[in-house]
Amino acid sequence: MLRFVLTRVGLVIPTFLGIILLTFILIRLVPGDPVQVRVGERGITEERRLALLHEMGLDRPLHVQFFDYVGGVLQGDLGISIITKKPVMVEFLTLFPATLELAFFAILFAASIGLPLGVIAAVRRGSAFDHTVMGLSLTGYSMPIFWWGLLLILLFSVDLGWTPVAKRLSDDYFVDQVTGFMLIDTLLSDDPMNEGSFLDALHHLILPTVVLGTVPLAVIARMTRSAMLEVLGEDYIRTARAKGLGSIRVVAVHALRNALVPVVTVIGLQVGTLMGGAILTETVFSWPGIGKWLVESIGRRDYPALQGGVLVIAALVMTVNLAVDLLYGLLNPRIRHRR
Amino acid sequence: MTDITLPAAEPVSRPISPSREVWLSLKANKGAMAGLIVIVLLVIAAVFADIIAPYHYAQVFKECVVEVCPPAWREGSDPRFILGTDAVGRDLWSRLIHGSRYSLFIGSIVVTISLAAGILFGLLSGFFRGTIDILIMRAMDIILSVPSLLLALAIVAILGSGLLNAMIAVAITYIPHYARLARAAVLTELPKDYVTASRVAGAGTLRLMLNTVLPNCLAPLIVQATLSFSTAILDAAALGFLGYGAQAPTPEWGTMLADARSLIRSMPWVVTLPGLAILITVLAFNLLGDGLRDALDPKLKR
């Protein structure tokens, strides 16, 4: 097992260094004067330009700059945002809980609906229910989610007036950011003015959760169905049935447990999809998270922010994928012992 | 001579050709057929857009700017504009028809670029192994670890906004899928006898790669190409929606949605229709892709 863990971790390290190299090159490919790209100051004197160039170490050889950059990244230094003049890492950490909260509910939503739909579709293979679930799941998979978000706003917010259109909280409340998770922060707030803010935050989460969770829901339903179909054809299921076990018990205990392994893997691998989806969902719902921040950073030519954002998200996706990979090996000895 | 009738020829049983077999399997799949019909209609719309569309996509009707012209099912509609006009007074139906050109164009270009580059990398990796293989596959891993939309955005941020750059950016994010598929296929095909025979017959590496091995690895690549045709349309539309893809007044469906958010109350049809066009197109390609996979994958064959 240790050998398996070490091999997998060993494979990830060069990739991670590669990502650092990628982001290092990325910001250098931006056309224009490097000082202007990094600092955003225009029309400065040549003297000031040279001073800044030196200050940022951009006058040193490229490989020195790279090792300097790697050293900084490993210590959590991602540079300074041009617009806010704050460290990119601080910006990221301030906004990240908003994205994490949304992503958590999205995946919860997707799994809690996708799993049962997939199981029932597999058990009733070929039925109208199966066809409907598969059709809907392909539709969900094909959904342009930015439009899906607009559509839901049109229906539930504009026409029915049930849900708020944007942001994490109504303007009536002022909740201090403690954890960054709005549902927790609203509960922590003891200001009487903030009574009902928890429900308000929950209310704001509904539509973005559905929008961000749609593609994972479709993927999970499809994956669960095919994993269940495979397992249901196994001999031990026939044995279980032959022993006279009830069909619910066979499906829920014997089949689902084994089918869950690939499904959990797929859920884990949705992190990348979720981060991509967060960019669109947060833009549609003015959700103050990482996705919206990245899009705005590009619009404001805040390249250090973009560079840092890409790096951290890639590292995050890689870490989750590695964890899923290790977990999979833990659950499935056939993978672990394959060389 | 004329009244001699020959007995009807005995039907000769010939093995069905592989392409015909795929077609028969595809024909039996209702979803794939529906997808194919939609795609054919889209191609017709794209090719004959100038004839089918009643107006030019950029033609502004001033009378519809002051007083909005809604689609036919709404009160106060103008019979000239079935689907109404957009915020600038342009016929939405004409714009949507012209938009099909962009979607199909985006899909084709992105798939062509990524397929060509992916096959090249995959073949190099699979044939030469060693350092080249490691370098290429690590590079592919790096690309895969950044969410594709984010990577595409970052590339566009450097190259600059625009349809061409958006297509290049999206294409880059798809290369690893093809490279991995091609490499895996090469590795399964290489030890087979026909490759050895060809090698012994004196075929050079280039000939082995392109003429001997490649044709036999095409099935998974074709399936992936169809499926990524749809994701390419989605991703390019997303870039357009975010303002970094095709630029106005291009009638690209995603770009048409870019400022739709502010119109959602006053002109909801401007929001619903372009998105619906994207969804139907993407769905059609996914249905066809699924059908092709079932048809080309012998493991799933009945």
Side-chain angles (χ1 to χ4, degrees), chain A residues 2 9 34 63 88 102 113 139 166 184 202 221 239 246 259 261 275 279 300 327:
Chain A
L2 184 69
V9 174
H63 65 274
V88 172
L102 178 57
I113 296 181
T139 311
I184 300 177
L202 210 56
T239 310
V261 177
M275 287 313 300
I279 293 176
R300 296 185 297 214
L327 197 69

Side-chain angles (χ1 to χ4, degrees), chain A residues 151-163:
Chain A
L151 209 62
L152 291 181
I153 290 179
L154 187 62
L155 182 62
F156 291 106
S157 307
V158 176
D159 286 352
L160 296 171
W162 288 354
T163 48

Side-chain angles (χ1 to χ4, degrees), chain A residues 204-270:
Chain A
H204 278 77
L205 256 170
I206 298 172
L207 283 191
T209 297
V210 172
V211 170
L212 187 55
T214 296
V215 174
L217 167 61
V219 174
I220 291 173
R222 270 168 83 100
M223 190 64 209
T224 310
R225 177 178 176 274
S226 63
M228 278 300 282
L229 282 180
E230 205 161 297
V231 171
L232 285 175
E234 298 279 345
D235 288 342
Y236 60 80
I237 297 296
R238 203 183 317 145
T239 310
R241 285 196 207 281
K243 280 199 303 189
L245 296 180
S247 54
I248 290 183
R249 191 177 159 82
V250 171
V251 170
V253 180
H254 290 73
L256 186 60
R257 227 176 42 197
N258 288 294
L260 269 182
V261 177
V263 172
V264 169
T265 314
V266 166
I267 294 178
L269 296 180
Q270 290 299 305

Side-chain angles (χ1 to χ4, degrees), chain A residues 13-34:
Chain A
I13 291 170
T15 314
F16 182 64
L17 286 174
I19 288 168
I20 300 183
L21 182 66
L22 179 79
T23 52
F24 178 79
I25 298 172
L26 208 69
I27 196 165
R28 272 159 187 81
L29 287 178
V30 178
D33 180 47

